[in-house]
Amino acid sequence: MSTILVVDDERGIRALCSDVLGRAGHEVEAVDSAAGAVAAVSRRRFDLVLCDINLPDQDGVSILPKLLTGDPPPAVLLITAYPSIDTAVRGMKLGARDYIGKPFSPDELRLVVQRALAEDELRRAHGELTKRLAYGSMIGDSPAMQQLRATIGKVAQSDATVLITGESGTGKELVARALHFAGRRASGTFVPVNCGALVGTLLDSELFGHVRGAFTGADTSKRGLFVAAESGTLFLDEIGELPIDLQPKLLRALQEGEVKPVGGTSAIRVDARVIAATNRSLEAGIKTASFREDLFYRLAVITIEVPPLRARPGDIAQLARHFAEQAALRAERSRLELTDAALAHLAAQPWPGNVRELENTLERAVILASGDVLDVADVAGPRSVTASPTLTTFTGDQVPTLDELERAHILRVLQLCDNQKTKAAQMLGINRTTLWKKLRQYGLEPE
Ligand SMILES: Nc1ncnc2c1ncn2[C@@H]1O[C@H](COP(=O)(O)OP(=O)(O)OP(=O)(O)O)[C@@H](O)[C@H]1O
Ligand SMILES: [Mg+2]
C-alpha cells in the first residue's frame, strides 16, 4: 500500500482517481488547488503525487520543486490535457516522473501509477544494496571513522583519482571498495590489481593488455584491466611497487584517458576511475628515484589517509565482537562473548598489524577457545609467545652462513606477523616481489 496525493480542480478526476487507486489498495488524499497540494506535502509524506498542470491558482509545473521534497521525495505524475504536452515535457525535465493525458481510463491510470511505484521500489532496493556494500562492511564509530565515512561520501561522487595511504591492515582496500560502491560507478566493475604481485612485462600486459604475438606465448590478444574496468573502478593496490619503467605508461593513461596494449600501435580510449593504495611512503620513493614525482601528483589528486588502529582504540571492542561473531560462524560454533577484561586487554594492545591482526587474533581465539566465553587468556595467547623478537643465536663452532641467517630471520618475521607477506616484507625492509623470491630460494614457499 502506498500513500497517494491527487491534485486536480475537476471533481470528476478526483473522484475517479480516489476510487480506482483506493480500490487498488492505496491510501488516497485529494485536493483541488496548488496551495492545497503544497500544504498537504508539508504535512505528511506521500509516495506518489498525481498533479494536474492547469490548476486555478498556480500551474502544476511551477509547484514541482515544492512537491519534490522529503527523503525520498514522492514520484510526481503530471496530468495534462492534450494542448499542454509541451508543459508536461518541461515538467519532466524539472523532475516529474511521467505524465498521463486527459481523458484517461481506469486501466491507464492504474498502469502509470503502478509503473512509477515499482520503479521507486527498485530504486530503493538498489540504493540500499549499494549502500550496504559500500559502508555496511566498515565497522567503527570513532570520530576518525566517522570522518572517514564522510570523506568517502563526498569523494565517491567525483571521478578524481584517489590515493589511499595507511599502514598495512588498516582497511585501505575496504575504503577503495566503499568509494566504488557509494559512487556513480557502482553498477560498473571494481577491478583490483596488486602491483607488487607481478613482475614487469606481465604487469604491463595485465594492466594495458597485449596484441597477438606481442611476445612469446602471446597466442591471442588480451584486453587489459584498464579496459576491464570500463565505467567502473580500477584499484591499483601497492602502487609503490609499480616498476619505474611502467610508471610513464600509467601516467599517460591517467592524463590522456587512453592505453596502448603491449605490441600494439594504436591507443584505446578507456574510462576507468583509478584509485591507488600504498602502505609505503611514496615521498620516500621519490627521494630514492623509485617513484616518479609527476605520477605521484597525478595519483594524489585526493589523498585519503586511513588511521592506524592504535589511533582509534574506541573501535577495537566493536571490531573484536564483529570478528568473533564472523569467526564463530565460519567455525560453525555458537557465539562466544568477549569478557570485559578481554576487551580491555585488546584495547590496550598496539596492533602493529592493525585491523587485520585483530581479525586474525579473534579467528585464532575462537578456534582455540575451550570455554563458552573469550577471556584474556584466549585473546592474549600465542601472540605473547612470538612477540619477542630475538636474533638467532649460535655458538662459536656453529657459525651460520649469511643465507642461513637470512632464512631464519625471514621465518621469524613471518611468524611474528602471522604469515602476512606484505607486513613481513615491510618489516624486513624489502618489497613483496623480493620476499617472494627469497621464499622460493629458501624453499619456504609451499606452492
Ligand atoms: N573498519 C573495518 N571494519 C571491518 N573490517 C575491517 C575494517 N578495516 C579493515 N577491515 C578488515 O581487515 C582486513 C584488512 O583490511 P584491508 O585488506 O582493507 O587492509 P589494507 O589496508 O588494504 O592492508 P594492506 O596494506 O596489508 O593491503 C580485511 O579483512 C578487512 O575486511
Ligand atoms: Mg590491501
Side-chain angles (χ1 to χ4, degrees):
M1 190 202 66
S2 302
T3 48
I4 298 178
L5 175 68
V6 177
V7 190
D8 203 303
D9 53 330
E10 270 181 70
R11 174 133 37 95
I13 299 276
R14 288 202 305 275
L16 174 75
C17 292
S18 301
D19 181 48
V20 170
L21 299 174
R23 268 191 287 151
H26 301 298
E27 187 190 327
V28 187
E29 184 176 331
V31 295
D32 61 4
S33 64
V38 174
V41 295
S42 67
R43 213 171 46 236
R44 58 181 286 202
R45 208 196 80 81
F46 290 93
D47 296 311
L48 186 136
V49 179
L50 264 165
C51 184
D52 188 17
I53 288 180
N54 293 312
L55 291 166
D57 48 346
Q58 232 180 12
D59 85 281
V61 173
S62 62
I63 59 164
L64 265 176
K66 287 185 185 148
L67 297 181
L68 290 167
T69 54
D71 186 24
V76 178
L77 304 180
L78 295 170
I79 304 175
T80 168
Y82 175 67
S84 56
I85 289 282
D86 279 355
T87 326
V89 170
R90 187 164 62 88
M92 288 180 64
K93 283 192 183 136
L94 287 172
R97 183 70 59 79
D98 205 346
Y99 63 87
I100 178 168
K102 275 191 217 180
F104 49 80
S105 69
D107 277 345
E108 261 176 275
L109 177 65
R110 265 194 296 269
L111 195 73
V112 286
V113 167
Q114 246 166 37
R115 193 166 55 203
L117 290 174
E119 223 175 86
D120 274 1
E121 184 59 40
L122 263 180
R123 246 179 244 208
R124 242 190 319 276
H126 183 251
E128 261 156 34
L129 187 67
T130 47
K131 239 199 223 146
R132 215 170 50 226
L133 281 169
Y135 301 105
S137 50
M138 246 165 93
I139 311 260
D141 289 315
S142 61
M145 282 303 282
Q146 285 178 25
Q147 203 189 338
L148 188 61
R149 276 200 197 87
T151 307
I152 291 171
K154 271 184 252 162
V155 174
Q157 301 315 317
S158 90
D159 254 353
T161 311
V162 181
L163 179 66
I164 305 172
T165 62
E167 292 175 16
S168 181
T170 44
K172 295 186 292 297
E173 176 148 3
L174 216 58
V175 169
R177 286 178 192 274
L179 283 170
H180 171 77
F181 285 107
R184 280 180 279 129
R185 292 171 173 267
S187 54
T189 326
F190 177 84
V191 179
V193 45
N194 187 332
C195 300
L198 292 167
V199 287
T201 22
L202 276 180
L203 185 61
D204 193 351
S205 112
E206 191 74 14
L207 281 176
F208 306 106
H210 64 244
V211 298
R212 196 171 152 224
F215 46 83
T216 329
D219 307 331
T220 54
S221 67
K222 177 180 154 169
R223 60 175 206 163
L225 294 174
F226 250 104
V227 177
E230 182 73 23
S231 13
T233 304
L234 181 67
F235 175 50
L236 299 173
D237 204 359
E238 295 187 39
I239 188 75
E241 307 286 330
L242 187 72
I244 190 91
D245 52 317
L246 278 184
Q247 293 179 17
K249 209 166 166 178
L250 175 61
L251 183 62
R252 244 197 69 133
L254 291 170
Q255 271 165 351
E256 326 282 334
E258 42 182 53
V259 296
K260 208 186 269 176
V262 179
T265 46
S266 51
I268 303 170
R269 286 217 65 78
V270 285
D271 167 38
R273 180 189 196 176
V274 172
I275 298 178
T278 181
N279 53 31
R280 302 197 337 197
S281 149
L282 294 184
E283 285 93 336
I286 294 172
K287 284 208 190 85
T288 59
S290 64
F291 207 86
R292 289 179 65 115
E293 193 169 9
D294 49 5
L295 178 60
F296 170 74
Y297 285 115
R298 187 61 193 70
L299 286 170
V301 174
I302 296 171
T303 306
I304 296 182
E305 167 132 33
V306 188
L309 189 55
R310 64 183 170 280
R312 43 184 163 113
D315 290 337
I316 291 176
Q318 211 182 338
L319 281 163
R321 287 200 190 94
H322 168 74
F323 291 139
E325 196 182 324
Q326 297 283 309
L329 281 173
R330 274 195 297 273
E332 298 183 23
R333 291 190 59 144
S334 56
R335 199 184 165 128
L336 293 162
E337 297 291 338
L338 283 143
T339 62
D340 288 347
L343 288 173
H345 171 84
L346 291 174
Q349 302 308 306
W351 303 113
N354 294 293
V355 184
R356 186 182 292 111
E357 185 183 1
L358 179 63
E359 188 174 7
N360 292 340
T361 300
L362 282 138
E363 173 102 47
R364 186 170 47 216
V366 167
I367 291 170
L368 298 178
S370 44
D372 48 10
V373 293
L374 294 175
D375 208 349
V376 178
D378 298 300
V379 296
R383 223 188 101 74
S384 49
V385 181
T386 53
S388 52
T390 51
L391 265 179
T392 313
T393 46
F394 54 91
T395 52
D397 48 8
Q398 265 190 320
V399 180
T401 63
L402 266 181
D403 276 0
E404 280 165 356
L405 257 188
E406 188 173 67
R407 184 179 191 277
H409 186 55
I410 290 176
L411 262 178
R412 191 63 183 238
V413 171
L414 275 171
Q415 233 174 36
L416 263 180
C417 48
D418 286 335
N419 216 23
Q420 287 162 40
K421 311 287 189 299
T422 309
K423 180 78 196 157
Q426 202 182 11
M427 286 178 72
L428 289 164
I430 55 181
N431 66 35
R432 275 177 44 129
T433 320
T434 312
L435 178 59
W436 280 104
K437 264 187 237 143
K438 289 192 185 292
L439 289 176
R440 268 194 299 272
Q441 180 188 340
Y442 295 128
L444 296 172
E445 198 42 40
E447 326 102 299

